[in-house]
Amino acid sequence: MGIGSAFPNIVENTIQLKKVNLLIIANSLHGEIPSRSQCRIQFDTNSLIDTHSICPYKDNMIRKIIPLTIAMMIGFHPVASMAQDTSGPTISKIIETHEDAVEVLYKKMRGKSREEQQKLYEAEYPKPDQAIESITALVLTNPGGSASLDGIDWLLRYSGQKGIDPALYNVLETHHLHSEKLQAIVLKMARSRTPETQNFLTTVSEKSKIKDARGAAILSLMKRIERDKEKEDEHTALSKTLFAEHADLIINGRNVTKSIKAEEKLAIGKVAPEIIGKDVDGKEMKLSDYRGKIVVLDFWGDW
Amino acid sequence: MYPHERSLVARMKDKPFTILGVNSDSAKRYKTAIKENEITWPSFWDGGKTGGPIATDWAVRGWPTIYILDTKGVIRYKNTRGKAMDEAVDALMEEL
């Protein structure tokens, strides 16, 4: 297989190695472990926090072993890597490998019929599961590193509604609450429906020293409930805070407050704003000229 | 898109109804499109690009975007297409 052929091997071997390492630690260092198989199963499911609580002795070992083994596999000099933060380059490498594989597939899909594209996509889209697992482990291993934010940013893009590992919210809150990069992260949380996301967004909106991140957190909190009729009051309260304190918030080149107010004017039940314009020959036209008629207003283009 | 719109316009002939476009093509492309697709209804021309002034005022981010207005100019439906568009127009017609 052509796509990302090197990458799954690295990850798979790494996971294998992690298991082996754990067994080695379990066998050699401690006679009294709660249950070796328990630890191993916990570790397989990649919840390091859970593993930590069950197998507390692993903490330091995991910090050293995972970066070391991964670094060895992708060819860093182990000693030099140990001295620095190895999770950083490893995280960016994993992300790059995945994105490259996706790009290869998209190139292949270009110019094909819609049916062929669908088939190709289903057959060859590189599943992000292993990358998600590896990056999550690396971030938890070196939570304060600058690459951990990039890792979490990527994880949010790929985890959809089920959300990222809850332990990552602790990482964000403890190490990155005042980071300039936090805005992009909280904006991606509007899709996730977990209570951890809700709590974290509330924390950011109240405590982050970065104003743009606070504003974006409020916006994400609003987006999460915008279709929930029961939470209209909450939504109104949030939008009041947003308009009062973040009138100048700009996201993707748009002033957020202005966009929201424009969209409110365009809600069902509101009188349509007047349009004064010209047709393609320069003749003046007004929307209100068509009062008395049912109007299908169609924003269109022939492309 | 065009065949459905043409048939809706034909069905609503002699009734208080219009499709009103806001077009984001270049002038040349627009003129070709109305000829080729027998587009008989009027359109605002939004300056030849997707970020034109009307589309910006209406916060349009995807094309086509559809609003259906009643005879008083009140927004009654958004992004209703195909059969649902026909039903929406019929429902508004019944209110008259």
Side-chain angles (χ1 to χ4, degrees), chain A residues 50-281:
Chain A
D50 290 348
T51 316
H52 185 204
S53 59
I54 292 173
C55 313
Y57 58 87
K58 287 200 306 292
D59 186 39
N60 286 328
M61 294 305 291
I62 286 170
R63 274 167 206 280
K64 285 175 188 158
I65 283 168
I66 294 178
L68 178 63
T69 50
I70 294 176
M72 282 166 70
M73 312 223 44
I74 63 173
F76 288 111
H77 190 279
V79 177
S81 305
M82 282 293 284
Q84 302 160 6
D85 166 13
T86 54
S87 64
T90 312
I91 286 173
S92 50
K93 184 85 193 163
I94 296 171
I95 292 174
E96 201 186 310
T97 310
H98 185 84
E99 297 301 320
D100 284 353
V102 172
E103 188 53 35
V104 167
L105 173 63
Y106 285 169
K107 268 190 190 149
K108 238 173 145 177
M109 283 163 61
R110 246 166 249 159
K112 299 265 165 66
S113 75
R114 189 159 288 198
E115 254 180 26
E116 283 175 304
Q117 288 187 343
Q118 185 71 26
K119 261 189 205 160
L120 270 173
Y121 186 87
E122 278 165 18
E124 296 187 19
Y125 188 82
K127 292 220 171 10
D129 306 24
Q130 290 188 325
I132 288 174
E133 190 177 345
S134 306
I135 291 173
T136 302
L138 286 162
V139 169
L140 293 171
T141 306
N142 193 343
S146 64
S148 84
L149 263 185
D150 299 334
I152 293 173
D153 192 286
W154 187 89
L155 289 169
L156 282 163
R157 280 172 50 205
Y158 282 90
S159 5
Q161 291 201 350
K162 78 175 192 274
I164 53 174
D165 188 322
L168 295 171
Y169 290 100
N170 296 334
V171 170
L172 286 170
E173 193 172 334
T174 312
H175 299 276
H176 305 289
L177 192 57
H178 310 300
S179 161
E180 297 281 348
K181 286 183 182 173
L182 197 60
Q183 186 192 62
I185 301 243
V186 296
L187 285 174
K188 291 190 179 73
M189 291 180 180
R191 289 189 309 154
S192 159
R193 295 282 175 266
T194 66
E196 289 86 3
T197 316
Q198 179 78 20
N199 291 339
F200 178 70
L201 287 172
T202 306
T203 303
V204 174
S205 73
E206 289 167 359
K207 293 186 184 155
S208 175
K209 287 178 188 159
I210 307 296
K211 188 165 189 258
D212 283 354
R214 290 202 303 274
I218 295 172
L219 189 64
S220 282
L221 285 166
M222 286 168 68
K223 281 196 177 160
R224 290 157 62 81
I225 56 171
E226 67 188 355
R227 298 221 175 90
D228 190 340
K229 284 248 151 67
E230 286 174 14
K231 293 191 172 162
E232 261 173 29
D233 291 349
E234 198 181 320
H235 193 271
T236 309
L238 286 164
S239 68
K240 262 189 192 161
T241 312
L242 189 76
F243 294 163
E245 292 172 21
H246 301 280
D248 51 355
L249 179 66
I250 290 177
I251 291 168
N252 295 334
R254 282 171 191 270
N255 179 296
V256 173
T257 302
K258 277 190 192 157
S259 298
I260 293 175
K261 286 188 174 166
E263 277 164 27
E264 281 173 357
K265 275 191 210 156
L266 297 164
I268 286 171
K270 295 276 164 72
V271 175
E274 175 67 304
I275 303 174
I276 300 174
K278 290 177 179 169
D279 72 8
V280 75
D281 296 318

